Amino acid sequence: MSGTSRLKNTRIFSGDSVDITLRRWYSLGIICPAKELWYFPFDRNYCIFRLAGSLHNSWRSLGFDGLFSYAIEVEPTYFLGDLGMSRINNMSVNVDGRGTIEVTFYLDRQFGSTFMQYLLPNILLSYVVYSSLTYYLKDFGTAVTVNITCLLAMTGFFSMVFQHLPQSSNVKIIELMQIKSISCSALIIFLQTLVSVNSLSQVDVYEGKRKAWAMGKGLTKLTKSTSRLNLILRLIPAFGITIDIVYIVFGFYHEMEPTISSQ
């Protein structure tokens, strides 16, 4: 029988300095918990993961310590579709002496996407309710029908959005904006009803269907009450629109802020 044979594959390079490039590609799926969900959609989160490798030690064991250099390249573009409405604001990659790779991603929400999908429909519906202030005195029946329909649609949309938002025990900013739109619309419906009732009472007084004492003091009280209600009705849309403008301007400013520096 023939003895044991050992084959050695040797490649000889000319020169005293040779660049050898070894590439390895790995695909990883990482789940990172969000830490500032109460600030949604202005929350900024970071994700850190570490890969323990033996790159440096393996070369040292072969006696080539100090004769090589290595670089780690991370390409997040392959899984950008899994980020949902977030985007990678910044990224850092560090390798320690033991070959452990530490990768840090800084994630920002894309305000435009969250605003269009989660908030814009309710804002538009609330503006339909605001517009009823121009005609509700002439046609209260149509105004209250339109407003209640919008209110029901806003409530249903909020319920759907609440189920699709990231789960958290804290109330998020975007939920407060939804509640603001619903509350303002409900308050307008209520006040318009009171104004309509007071207007009918004033008509009764003018037509003499009440007692004589109501012609003086009673009519004055109804008129003052109606004036106050009308003033409040004018202030509610102003308040709601102001909050919406501030929210939208801050949101787009937040999205266009310069990239944060890596830590």
Side-chain angles (χ1 to χ4, degrees):
M1 297 180 62
S2 60
T4 303
S5 300
R6 293 186 178 181
L7 301 177
K8 185 176 181 180
N9 186 11
T10 303
R11 179 175 297 183
I12 300 175
F13 299 90
S14 61
D16 58 356
S17 178
V18 179
D19 294 331
I20 302 176
T21 302
L22 178 63
R23 294 182 181 271
R24 293 289 186 269
W25 297 99
Y26 301 94
S27 179
L28 301 175
I30 300 169
I31 299 177
C32 295
K35 302 174 179 61
E36 298 180 351
L37 280 180
W38 65 271
Y39 204 42
F40 185 96
F42 308 122
D43 54 326
R44 282 179 168 167
N45 299 283
Y46 63 91
C47 180
I48 301 177
F49 65 93
R50 298 176 178 88
L51 302 176
S54 57
L55 174 64
H56 190 268
N57 293 331
S58 62
W59 282 94
R60 291 181 60 186
S61 64
L62 296 176
F64 295 109
D65 188 23
L67 300 179
F68 75 98
S69 62
Y70 57 87
I72 305 298
E73 182 180 358
V74 178
E75 293 288 346
T77 55
Y78 294 105
F79 54 85
L80 279 177
D82 298 332
L83 293 177
M85 295 183 181
S86 298
R87 61 185 174 91
I88 295 178
N89 195 325
N90 197 3
M91 178 183 64
S92 63
V93 181
N94 298 309
V95 182
D96 61 17
R98 296 175 298 178
T100 301
I101 306 169
E102 181 180 281
V103 182
T104 305
F105 292 104
Y106 298 89
L107 303 174
D108 285 352
R109 302 281 179 186
Q110 298 187 66
F111 174 77
S113 300
T114 57
F115 174 75
M116 294 290 289
Q117 296 188 32
Y118 291 156
L119 193 58
L120 182 59
N122 264 9
I123 289 181
L124 295 178
L125 288 172
S126 65
Y127 288 176
V128 173
V129 176
Y130 298 161
S131 67
S132 67
L133 294 175
T134 61
Y135 63 87
Y136 82 98
L137 290 175
K138 298 178 181 179
D139 193 352
F140 175 74
T142 301
V144 73
T145 301
V146 171
N147 292 346
I148 290 178
T149 302
C150 291
L151 182 62
L152 292 176
M154 293 165 65
T155 305
F157 182 78
F158 173 65
S159 177
M160 181 188 67
V161 168
F162 181 79
Q163 295 176 4
H164 288 82
L165 286 176
Q167 297 299 317
S168 172
S169 58
N170 299 321
V171 178
K172 308 173 189 64
I173 291 181
I174 196 169
E175 293 174 346
L176 293 178
M177 291 294 295
Q178 297 272 6
I179 294 173
K180 182 270 303 176
S181 298
I182 294 174
S183 300
C184 288
S185 299
L187 186 57
I188 284 177
I189 295 173
F190 176 71
L191 293 178
Q192 284 179 348
T193 304
L194 290 182
V195 171
S196 178
V197 171
N198 284 348
S199 298
L200 291 176
S201 299
Q202 292 178 19
V203 171
D204 290 342
V205 171
Y206 281 120
E207 292 178 353
K209 295 182 179 179
R210 289 179 170 238
K211 295 182 179 180
W213 62 268
M215 291 296 296
K217 188 181 297 184
L219 181 59
T220 302
K221 290 182 178 180
L222 287 173
T223 304
K224 290 182 178 180
S225 176
T226 302
S227 300
R228 292 171 183 172
L229 293 177
N230 281 321
L231 176 61
I232 297 175
L233 279 171
R234 297 296 185 272
L235 293 177
I236 293 175
F239 168 78
I241 294 173
T242 301
I243 296 297
D244 293 337
I245 293 175
V246 172
Y247 178 85
I248 294 171
V249 171
F250 178 78
F252 283 107
Y253 172 78
H254 179 272
E255 187 172 11
M256 293 185 295
E257 271 189 307
T259 303
I260 60 176
S261 59
S262 58
Q263 298 177 354

